[in-house]
């Protein structure tokens, strides 16, 4: 595990995320520092000194030695970074003003607490922005008090802000009631004309799961505790449109349904990996169906809870046409 980069935190322009990368592309680790913690670290580095930074939970500590900086975090593996490298990156980062972001992710937790900031507070942080101009701000800051009160592990916004794909599952059996929730989420998804132009295959058979691994480019995690194959079924869509439109609708139906299941799984404390890379013909043969598979959703308890991956800035994602 090698220290890789420092990036803005989800909290505000003042904090940061320190990111470590393992050998495996998916193996990353993150430490989130708040404003004060980052300032203390910057202070040590600016003086070319050594010392300790105590973190918010009062038991985690960053120890800056001359050669290596150690992150001894509560309930977490020891993380290390070469002091020179970390110093350079932290001091560089501290020079640049970073844009505030409005979703707060708490420190040191892997399924962190999340809330949407108050309108006024968030707007104060954005120079030159008036409360009525930004669509993004309006969306993210709507009804903050209510959202905060309602935040439970199943809260949709909490799920959005904390979900992370998993490619290593525990062997633990997934409770039937959770499977029911996941399947019923697929059933309530919106579909074109409400014709539900899709079919879900729940794979329980071990040999079938192994065959799906082979069909999915030998991706081993396809052999997960719960495996769902979502297929399109344009023949169910009784709308008077050309076949290609019906195919498009059924692909969208199957994809939305899989997404609903993915979110439901995340909401009940499970994790998922969405598989799009597979040989459609092989999967059809394995399932004994003519229906075209659109995605395989693999679900289970994550071997390790990981923080969400970074995304591009909302400003880049959304083009507002006025
Ligand atoms: C359409 C689609 C196809 C994907 N196919 C694969 C796949 O075949 N194998 C895989 O390991 N991950 C696959 N993924 C998972 C993505 O790599 C993963 O969602 C992405 O890296 C973002 O990570 P996150 O889900 O943790 O935010 C796929 C995701 C989507 C949406």
């Amino acid at each position: 595990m090698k220290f890789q980069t420092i990036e803005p935190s989800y909290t505000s322009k003042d904090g940061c995320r320190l990111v470590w990368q393992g050998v495996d592309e998916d193996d990353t680790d993150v430490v989130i520092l708040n404003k004060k913690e980052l300032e203390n670290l910057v202070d040590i580095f600016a003086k070319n000194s050594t010392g300790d930074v105590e973190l918010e939970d009062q038991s985690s500590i960053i120890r800056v030695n001359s050669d290596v900086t150690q992150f001894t975090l509560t309930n977490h593996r020891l993380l290390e970074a070469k002091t020179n490298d970390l110093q350079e990156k932290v001091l560089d980062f501290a020079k640049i003003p970073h844009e505030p972001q409005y979703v707060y992710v708490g420190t040191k937790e892997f399924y962190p607490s999340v809330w949407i900031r108050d309108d006024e507070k968030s707007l104060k942080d954005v120079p030159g922005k008036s409360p009525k101009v930004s669509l993004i701000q309006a969306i993210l800051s709507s009804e903050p008090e209510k959202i905060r009160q309602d935040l439970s592990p199943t809260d949709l916004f909490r799920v959005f802000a904390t979900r992370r794909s998993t490619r290593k599952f525990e062997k633990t059996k997934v409770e039937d009631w959770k499977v029911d929730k996941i399947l019923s989420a697929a059933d309530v998804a919106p579909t074109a004309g409400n014709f539900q132009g899709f079919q879900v295959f729940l794979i329980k058979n071990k040999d079938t799961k192994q065959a799906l691994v082979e069909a999915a480019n030998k991706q081993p995690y396809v052999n997960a505790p719960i495996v769902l194959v979502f297929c399109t079924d344009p023949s169910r869509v009784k709308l008077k449109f050309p076949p290609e439109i019906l195919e498009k609708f059924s692909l969208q139906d199957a994809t939305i349904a899989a997404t609903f299941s993915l979110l439901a799984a995340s909401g009940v404390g499970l994790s998922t990996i969405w598989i799009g890379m597979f040989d459609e013909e092989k999967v059809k043969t394995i399932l004994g169906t003519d229906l075209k598979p659109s995605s395989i959703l693999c679900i289970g308890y994550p071997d390790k809870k990981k923080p969400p991956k970074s995304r591009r800035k909302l400003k880049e994602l959304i083009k507002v046409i006025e």
Side-chain angles (χ1 to χ4, degrees):
M1 179 99 348
K2 190 170 179 288
F3 171 66
Q4 194 186 34
T5 188
I6 175 168
E7 52 187 45
S9 79
Y10 293 144
T11 326
S12 72
K13 60 181 182 292
D14 303 307
C16 73
R17 286 160 58 94
L18 298 168
V19 184
W20 278 258
Q21 179 68 56
V23 185
D24 180 3
E25 179 259 329
D26 199 39
D27 192 14
T28 56
D29 219 333
V30 176
V31 173
I32 299 164
L33 300 185
N34 65 24
K35 179 176 191 283
K36 193 159 165 280
E37 294 162 348
L38 177 62
E39 277 172 0
N40 291 343
L41 193 62
V42 168
D43 197 41
I44 294 175
F45 284 143
K47 290 180 189 148
N48 254 328
S49 176
T50 56
D52 290 349
V53 175
E54 192 182 86
L55 302 192
E56 200 175 39
D57 63 3
Q58 296 183 340
S59 62
S60 298
I61 205 155
I62 306 175
R63 178 149 295 159
V64 182
N65 301 308
S66 52
D67 49 352
V68 171
T69 298
Q70 295 174 314
F71 293 73
T72 311
L73 308 171
T74 313
N75 297 328
H76 197 62
R77 64 177 154 186
L78 176 75
L79 291 168
E80 292 187 334
K82 282 190 185 149
T83 299
N84 282 349
D85 183 29
L86 185 67
Q87 179 181 24
E88 192 186 321
K89 286 180 175 148
V90 166
L91 291 179
D92 265 1
F93 181 86
K95 279 186 218 154
I96 313 159
H98 296 280
E99 295 208 3
Q101 299 185 30
Y102 303 113
V103 178
Y104 178 87
V105 180
T107 47
K108 272 77 69 182
E109 290 176 62
F110 282 126
Y111 280 153
S113 55
V114 177
W115 69 84
I116 311 295
R117 287 180 167 206
D118 292 318
D119 293 14
E120 274 186 22
K121 199 173 171 211
S122 62
L123 292 171
K124 258 191 253 158
D125 289 344
V126 188
K129 294 263 172 178
S130 104
K132 292 196 177 66
V133 295
S134 167
L135 171 65
I136 293 164
Q137 284 164 12
I139 294 166
L140 289 181
S141 60
S142 58
E143 296 193 65
E145 287 304 328
K146 187 169 181 298
I147 288 169
R148 199 175 307 159
Q149 280 161 19
D150 290 351
L151 278 181
S152 77
T154 56
D155 182 278
L156 194 56
F157 290 95
R158 188 182 172 107
V159 169
F160 287 158
T162 59
R163 185 202 60 81
R164 166 77 185 257
S165 291
T166 290
R167 293 185 180 83
K168 271 187 202 150
F169 297 102
E170 278 183 4
K171 293 221 161 31
T172 320
K173 184 183 178 308
V174 174
E175 299 85 337
D176 289 343
W177 70 268
K178 292 192 175 181
V179 179
D180 290 347
K181 289 238 177 265
I182 292 164
L183 296 174
S184 58
D187 191 43
V188 297
T191 55
N194 198 24
F195 286 110
Q196 298 193 288
F198 70 100
Q199 182 80 48
V200 186
F201 291 81
L202 168 62
I203 314 299
K204 293 189 167 176
N205 184 285
K206 280 184 190 163
D207 296 337
T208 310
K209 286 186 186 177
Q210 195 47 48
L212 286 174
V213 169
E214 298 302 317
N217 225 7
K218 296 195 170 31
Q219 299 186 74
Y221 28 87
V222 171
N223 191 349
I226 304 292
V227 179
L228 302 179
V229 185
F230 287 80
C231 293
T232 64
D233 188 354
S235 71
R236 288 186 54 86
V237 188
K238 309 288 183 210
L239 294 169
K240 286 191 177 142
F241 290 120
E244 62 272 20
I245 299 288
L246 301 184
E247 265 162 40
K248 182 173 82 172
F249 281 174
S250 63
L251 177 59
Q252 293 181 2
D253 288 355
T255 306
I256 298 169
T259 308
F260 268 49
S261 289
L262 178 154
L263 292 172
S266 310
V268 294
L270 299 164
S271 194
T272 64
I273 183 71
W274 181 296
I275 302 292
M277 181 60 219
F278 52 79
D279 183 321
E280 288 179 8
E281 288 310 314
K282 283 188 187 164
V283 173
K284 280 161 84 172
T285 308
I286 293 164
L287 302 182
T289 181
D290 286 336
L291 301 179
K292 200 170 158 182
S294 55
S295 60
I296 303 177
L297 190 63
C298 306
I299 307 167
Y301 284 97
D303 177 52
K304 214 166 61 176
K305 292 173 182 174
K306 291 181 175 177
K309 287 186 185 169
S310 308
R311 297 288 198 261
R312 68 184 142 164
K313 294 194 184 86
L314 267 179
K315 266 203 309 202
E316 289 166 23
L317 171 72
I318 299 171
K319 299 283 172 227
V320 180
I321 312 241
E322 288 182 305

